[in-house]
C-alpha cells in the first residue's frame, strides 16, 4: 500500500509542476521570428489552401499585395501577406 501512495504522490507532483510551468507562459504569446518566411508566387496556393486560379485572381485584382522581387522571382512575405489578407484594405473595393 505504501508503494501505491508513493507513485500517486510522484504523479501529483509532476502534474503540478507541468501545469505550473504551462501557466507561467500563458499570457505571453511566442515571439515572432525576425526573419521573414518568403513564399514563391507559384507556391502561394499551397500555403493558403486556395486553387491556383483563385490566387491568380486575387493577385490580379490586388497588385498592391506585399511582395518582394529578387532576380525576376516574386516572393511574398508570409506574415505580411496574412496580415494584409486579414485587414479590411482588400475588402474596401
Amino acid at each position: 500500500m505504501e508503494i501505491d501512495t508513493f507513485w500517486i504522490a510522484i504523479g501529483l507532483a509532476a502534474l503540478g509542476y507541468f501545469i505550473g510551468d504551462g501557466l507561467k507562459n500563458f499570457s505571453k504569446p511566442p515571439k515572432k521570428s525576425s526573419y521573414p518566411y518568403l513564399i514563391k508566387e507559384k507556391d502561394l496556393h499551397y500555403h493558403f489552401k486556395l486553387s491556383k486560379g483563385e490566387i491568380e485572381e486575387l493577385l490580379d485584382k490586388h497588385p498592391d499585395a506585399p511582395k518582394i522581387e529578387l532576380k525576376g522571382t516574386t516572393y511574398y512575405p508570409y506574415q505580411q501577406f496574412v496580415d494584409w489578407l486579414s485587414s479590411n484594405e482588400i475588402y474596401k473595393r
Side-chain angles (χ1 to χ4, degrees):
M1 191 68 164
E2 293 176 16
I3 299 283
D4 294 337
T5 55
F6 172 75
W7 288 111
I8 290 173
I10 293 293
L12 287 175
L15 178 71
Y17 171 77
F18 289 119
I19 288 176
D21 194 44
L23 289 175
K24 184 170 45 176
N25 297 320
F26 185 69
S27 64
K28 300 175 193 171
K31 294 180 181 179
K32 291 183 181 177
S33 173
S34 61
Y35 296 105
Y37 180 64
L38 299 176
I39 305 169
K40 288 184 179 180
E41 185 172 349
K42 66 178 183 151
D43 298 331
L44 272 177
H45 65 282
Y46 290 121
H47 292 276
F48 294 101
K49 297 185 179 33
L50 297 171
S51 69
K52 288 182 180 182
E54 290 171 330
I55 289 291
E56 287 175 9
E57 181 182 344
L58 177 71
L59 296 177
D60 287 342
K61 200 175 199 182
H62 302 284
D64 58 336
K67 62 185 168 190
I68 298 170
E69 290 190 28
L70 299 171
K71 296 183 181 180
T73 305
T74 304
Y75 297 95
Y76 292 87
Y78 178 76
Q79 191 58 48
Q80 286 180 343
F81 198 78
V82 168
D83 293 342
W84 175 76
L85 276 178
S86 60
S87 72
N88 289 334
E89 182 180 325
I90 64 173
Y91 303 108
K92 290 180 182 178
R93 294 181 184 189

